[in-house]
Amino acid sequence: MRGILLIFLFLNLSLIHASNEKTLKLLKTDFKIEIDGIIDPAWQSADSVTDFFQQDPFYGQEPSKRTVAKILTTDNSLFCLIISYDDPNNIQATKGTLDDFAGDAVSLMLDTFGDGRTGYKFAVSASGVRSDSRLLDDARNRDYNWDGIWFADAKIYDYGYVVEMEIPYKSIQYDETLTEWGLDFDRWIPHLNEDIYWCEYEQSEGQRVSKFGKLLFTDLIPESKGLNLEIYPVAITKVQYLQSGNYKFEPNAGIDVFYNPSPQLTYQLTANPDFAQIEADPYDFNISRYESYFDERRPFFVNGNEIFMPSGRQRNTGFYRPVELFYSRRIGKKLTDGSEVPLIFGTKAFGRLGSWEYGGFMALTGEKDYFDDDTLLTEQRAYFGAVRLKKQFFKNSSIGLLAVGKHTADNNYGVIDIDGAFRQSQWQLSYQLARSFKNSDGDYAASAGLTSFGDDMIILVRGRFIGKDFDVDEIGFVPWRGTANITGLAGPVWFFDSGYIKQILIYGGGSLYYEDADLFTDHSAALGFNMQLRDNWGYEINLSAGKSRDSDVEYSSYDISLSSWFNVSPNWNGNLWGGYSKTYNFSREYLAFYSWVGTSFNWKALDILDIGTSYNMWIEGNPAGNIEDITFNARPYFSFTPFNDMNLRLYVDNVFVRSSDKLEQLIVGFLFAYNFSPKSWIYFAVNELKDRRDRYDEGGNLLPAKLRLADRAGVFKVSYLYYF
């Protein structure tokens, strides 16, 4: 009898839990809906939600402003209406481009595979600016490079503002066998620093796809229609400076193709692409023994690249980062003389089949002659390839296999990897094991990480082993050969329901780091303090000290660092960081102090004008305790947006060195970009580089060290979408 009562109680609790799950019915309409921010009569028949939940700044309190969200469908598209009530004088309606908006905004989020792990996010500002992204790893990561074909507009009224969206079913991927999708809405109210969602999330974890509500299909199950084929012919005209006042004129063309033969499969191809519209990498100052990492920003490589990413990255912390075995910047890479290896074509395919995800990639680069100092070398033609397979299990966990390779006439390079993650909403345990191949040589690498964010405690543990012969330099980014390390941090966290302080975190721990190059295990202890305030600013202080050895020098190492962030106004935000350490300077080959200070800010001077800069100062000491040199780098910019989807941007990147008392490098870049139709662009870009590198006259005599023009290029580029 007692067992029967327990079962009865369990079933009732389950039913109570199920009844509390938020749902919205997707109803079909035969009326036309104009996407103009004006509420059409068709919306009267839609199901709606108003029960939003305040995530910030006062967790769990009633939202300050009322919000209504509705969804309808036709045979071809999903429509969303969001009404945001507010005093129009408080609404921040700033201009922007597709990838950059500030001010009041609302979002629609859809889990179209019902996997509780991935989703789409469609955001629209009060001025009608659109932004989209993919939610990954249960919203622990975001892919802001995803660019879908969808439509939206907004209009401000005396009671607030209205946003309308249309999302064609053929522009997204989904499981056509489902009768419900995951669903959430979000609203950002900048004058109150208030962030509200339809669904409820723990304060310690933030948004999770696994806790979305349900969009229930009552009248229609979506069907993809049409060929789902996107073709982008690209016309390019480039003017390149050749020295001595001469220029080279190069008209050219390329093509990009996207094809979705089913709602769950995508093909992508690029031929003869040109990425001249991308800004130059920021200046990097490096005193370590390892090369610097630069993010990939070329559209072909970043779009759909999530399938090739190892499991475990966390956008919010950055604490655990699995080793990157497929580093696409090795493809079409820059050579020592500044020239680039040409990318002839590239293609990729990715999709899903039930709980499986799969992807494939292939690229061909051309042969390129270049100079390394005075030696003429040749980068051989190369074929690159990658294959990925992932399996979801336990609802929100995964395991995957990745193989990456490069083939030239003389060498073969490759790596095979098994990685995955066990996940719950508040914790994640990630793992990775890889084997590299360089012709007949190779070695192993492994990494693992545990991140746990509870209501009153955090626990962070990570470890990594890289064999001394683990070489993936031609295809990945793993420069730390012959190393092993483990780091553990833990501490209490306090959340405050009221008052100026939102959160306080205190953590401590230690680290062990072995380098085969030194035959020594560095060891250190760390202590940190993090405070977040309710008006969107905060700071973190970190202290560490221990014993280290580098280049046969054993010493007591220490480090103190400070970082702070400021987002207290819709019109400006900024960051400030700095630190002081005792460490080995590999660029100068001695032990000394090293210090750094940096800041960045962005000011919305007008609704159509952004002004900002980053500024860094690196201070190198010498063994005597004096300052050896100081390097300064600033990157000021302004961004002018006369209307949505058009942007003019000018930036200057300059490097000044105290010892020479001169400007050593200057980069000036200008970009005009107009998104005149979905995925159709006009670009005009001009880039100029000046530096003080050694130069010689026609007789071989060294010229005086002056800031001289090293490279200048102008590009006019047009791409137009044909959508079938």
Side-chain angles (χ1 to χ4, degrees):
M1 184 67 181
R2 182 180 178 185
I4 295 175
L5 289 173
L6 288 174
I7 293 172
F8 178 79
L9 178 62
F10 173 78
L11 290 174
N12 275 276
L13 289 173
S14 299
L15 290 171
I16 292 171
H17 174 76
S19 66
N20 289 333
E21 184 176 57
K22 294 191 173 184
T23 61
L24 185 146
K25 295 179 181 179
L26 180 63
L27 303 177
K28 184 182 178 182
T29 181
D30 295 322
F31 295 98
K32 183 176 177 59
I33 300 177
E34 296 286 346
I35 302 301
D36 51 13
I38 299 174
I39 303 176
D40 299 294
W43 287 111
Q44 295 179 10
S45 64
D47 194 9
S48 64
V49 298
T50 59
D51 51 338
F52 279 71
F53 180 85
Q54 184 176 161
Q55 188 77 17
D56 287 310
F58 296 101
Y59 179 79
Q61 293 190 13
E62 285 293 320
S64 303
K65 304 296 178 181
R66 185 168 182 259
T67 307
V68 179
K70 300 184 176 185
I71 291 184
L72 283 172
T73 185
T74 63
D75 288 335
N76 300 316
S77 297
L78 181 144
F79 293 85
C80 178
L81 171 75
I82 301 180
I83 307 171
S84 300
Y85 291 90
D86 205 345
D87 183 339
N89 296 317
N90 293 329
I91 296 173
Q92 303 285 329
T94 56
K95 302 293 183 182
T97 63
L98 282 170
D99 300 317
D100 177 29
F101 68 82
D104 285 79
V106 295
S107 301
L108 164 68
M109 288 146 287
L110 299 168
D111 174 9
T112 59
F113 284 93
D115 61 10
R117 189 164 49 90
T118 60
Y120 292 97
K121 179 175 181 178
F122 304 91
V124 185
S125 75
S127 63
V129 181
R130 293 174 295 138
S131 178
D132 51 29
S133 62
R134 291 274 291 141
L135 307 178
L136 310 175
D137 296 333
D138 204 6
R140 289 176 171 85
N141 288 298
R142 308 289 170 92
D143 176 11
Y144 292 100
N145 298 297
W146 182 78
D147 186 12
I149 298 176
W150 58 290
F151 310 93
D153 205 352
K155 189 174 179 64
I156 298 176
Y157 298 89
D158 58 2
Y159 57 82
Y161 68 97
V162 172
V163 165
E164 284 186 300
M165 309 181 203
E166 179 186 357
I167 303 164
Y169 288 122
K170 63 182 180 180
S171 68
I172 59 176
Q173 291 186 306
Y174 56 88
D175 184 345
E176 64 270 27
T177 66
L178 297 179
T179 58
E180 61 183 36
W181 288 353
L183 174 69
D184 196 12
F185 304 97
D186 180 23
R187 180 184 175 186
W188 169 241
I189 311 172
H191 75 93
L192 298 173
N193 288 317
E194 188 169 317
D195 195 13
I196 61 174
Y197 293 88
W198 178 46
C199 301
E200 298 182 15
Y201 305 105
E202 296 297 327
Q203 191 171 10
S204 59
E205 68 185 13
Q207 187 183 38
R208 290 288 181 263
V209 179
S210 56
K211 293 189 176 182
F212 277 12
K214 299 298 182 184
L215 178 65
L216 306 177
F217 303 150
T218 58
D219 296 330
L220 176 75
I221 297 176
E223 294 182 8
S224 181
K225 296 189 176 183
L227 291 178
N228 304 314
L229 175 64
E230 303 173 22
I231 301 177
Y232 309 86
V234 180
I236 309 163
T237 299
K238 180 182 291 187
V239 179
Q240 187 82 27
Y241 179 71
L242 297 178
Q243 303 295 331
S244 304
N246 297 316
Y247 289 85
K248 180 182 179 182
F249 179 78
E250 294 180 289
N252 212 330
I255 191 169
D256 294 315
V257 177
F258 288 81
Y259 178 44
N260 294 289
S262 78
Q264 297 174 303
L265 176 61
T266 296
Y267 290 111
Q268 183 179 352
L269 180 142
T270 187
N272 196 30
D274 184 276
F275 307 110
Q277 76 273 14
I278 298 173
E279 288 187 7
D281 290 318
Y283 175 77
D284 180 71
F285 189 84
N286 187 352
I287 66 168
S288 77
R289 59 165 36 124
Y290 304 111
E291 69 170 303
S292 298
Y293 180 87
F294 294 97
D295 289 329
E296 176 64 87
R297 294 179 294 165
R298 296 173 293 176
F300 170 74
F301 292 103
V302 296
N303 290 335
N305 201 44
E306 62 183 80
I307 185 65
F308 302 105
M309 295 169 53
S311 300
R313 291 178 182 269
Q314 286 206 257
R315 174 179 54 93
N316 294 331
T317 67
F319 178 79
Y320 171 69
R321 296 193 64 180
V323 293
E324 191 158 350
L325 304 174
F326 180 36
Y327 183 40
S328 57
R329 288 194 64 136
R330 305 296 192 200
I331 305 171
K333 63 184 178 182
K334 283 192 174 183
L335 301 170
T336 53
D337 62 356
S339 62
E340 293 183 358
V341 176
L343 175 61
I344 298 174
F345 85 92
T347 183
K348 66 174 70 169
F350 47 91
R352 297 184 183 226
L353 184 62
S355 60
W356 293 87
E357 295 179 65
Y358 55 89
F361 172 89
M362 187 172 67
L364 171 65
T365 57
E367 187 174 283
K368 179 70 174 179
D369 294 331
Y370 67 101
F371 284 94
D372 187 356
D373 294 329
D374 295 327
T375 305
L376 178 63
L377 301 173
T378 299
E379 180 74 15
Q380 293 182 328
R381 175 186 292 255
Y383 296 89
F384 293 83
V387 177
R388 179 65 154 162
L389 188 64
K390 293 174 71 174
K391 175 72 167 67
Q392 183 179 355
F393 64 96
F394 293 160
K395 187 177 180 180
N396 208 0
S397 301
S398 65
I399 185 170
L401 174 70
L402 173 67
V404 186
K406 175 184 177 181
H407 170 74
T408 68
D410 297 331
N411 293 288
N412 290 297
Y413 311 91
V415 65
I416 296 177
D417 158 78
I418 296 174
D419 64 82
F422 297 95
R423 295 189 186 92
Q424 291 292 332
S425 61
Q426 290 187 309
W427 62 267
Q428 174 178 269
L429 175 61
S430 308
Y431 55 91
Q432 182 181 39
L433 176 64
R435 175 68 158 83
S436 70
F437 302 92
K438 183 177 180 181
N439 297 322
S440 60
D441 298 325
D443 209 338
Y444 290 92
S447 68
L450 170 67
T451 55
S452 174
F453 294 89
D455 295 331
D456 52 13
M457 174 73 70
I458 69 160
I459 301 173
L460 305 172
V461 181
R462 68 185 179 200
R464 185 180 67 198
F465 164 80
I466 311 295
K468 63 180 180 180
D469 295 320
F470 187 84
D471 185 354
V472 293
D473 289 350
E474 295 295 322
I475 51 177
F477 186 86
V478 190
W480 315 281
R481 289 195 290 272
T483 66
N485 69 79
I486 184 169
T487 299
L489 299 172
V493 58
W494 295 271
F495 295 97
F496 299 91
D497 295 332
S498 60
Y500 188 50
I501 299 175
K502 176 184 174 183
Q503 174 187 321
I504 290 178
L505 165 66
I506 300 175
Y507 59 88
S511 176
L512 299 174
Y513 183 49
Y514 172 82
E515 289 184 284
D516 192 67
D518 301 306
L519 297 176
F520 187 80
T521 300
D522 298 354
H523 47 278
S524 63
L527 180 66
F529 178 84
N530 178 296
M531 177 181 286
Q532 299 185 36
L533 304 176
R534 218 169 284 278
D535 57 357
N536 272 358
W537 79 275
Y539 64 91
E540 182 169 351
I541 300 173
N542 183 275
L543 306 170
S544 65
K547 290 287 187 179
S548 301
R549 184 163 74 187
D550 292 300
S551 296
D552 296 325
V553 179
E554 191 170 335
Y555 58 97
S556 296
S557 59
Y558 56 83
D559 182 295
I560 179 171
S561 62
L562 166 70
S563 61
S564 186
W565 51 94
F566 308 88
N567 299 284
V568 296
S569 166
N571 296 321
W572 71 273
N573 61 77
N575 292 274
L576 176 67
W577 59 87
Y580 183 90
S581 68
K582 181 181 179 182
T583 189
Y584 195 87
N585 188 328
F586 284 91
S587 66
R588 299 185 182 274
E589 298 183 343
Y590 57 61
L591 176 68
F593 77 84
Y594 171 62
S595 186
W596 62 96
V597 177
T599 185
S600 67
F601 78 88
N602 172 268
W603 175 41
K604 180 70 72 172
L606 301 169
D607 284 347
I608 59 174
L609 179 64
D610 278 51
I611 299 173
T613 190
S614 63
Y615 176 80
N616 283 283
M617 180 172 65
W618 298 278
I619 305 168
E620 298 176 271
N622 58 32
N626 301 317
I627 295 177
E628 180 69 22
D629 212 345
I630 305 177
T631 301
F632 305 86
N633 172 238
R635 194 181 177 100
Y637 70 89
F638 81 83
S639 179
F640 177 64
T641 307
F643 53 84
N644 289 345
D645 303 335
M646 177 181 284
N647 179 253
L648 295 88
R649 180 178 173 88
L650 176 68
Y651 72 95
V652 179
D653 193 309
N654 58 86
V655 180
F656 181 88
V657 179
R658 190 189 74 160
S659 59
S660 65
D661 198 29
K662 290 181 172 62
L663 201 64
E664 295 293 332
Q665 178 179 288
L666 178 68
I667 298 175
V668 179
F670 170 78
L671 175 65
F672 167 83
Y674 177 36
N675 183 220
F676 61 91
S677 183
K679 289 192 176 182
S680 300
W681 292 85
I682 296 175
Y683 293 107
F684 175 64
V686 178
N687 292 286
E688 181 171 294
L689 168 64
K690 293 183 177 181
D691 60 25
R692 295 182 185 274
R693 73 180 71 170
D694 290 343
R695 292 178 174 84
Y696 302 85
D697 61 19
E698 295 179 355
N701 301 308
L702 182 66
L703 295 172
K706 293 183 179 180
L707 197 65
R708 301 176 188 272
L709 183 64
D711 187 36
R712 176 186 292 154
V715 175
F716 181 75
K717 180 176 178 179
V718 180
S719 64
Y720 184 76
L721 166 65
Y722 291 92
Y723 192 32
F724 303 96

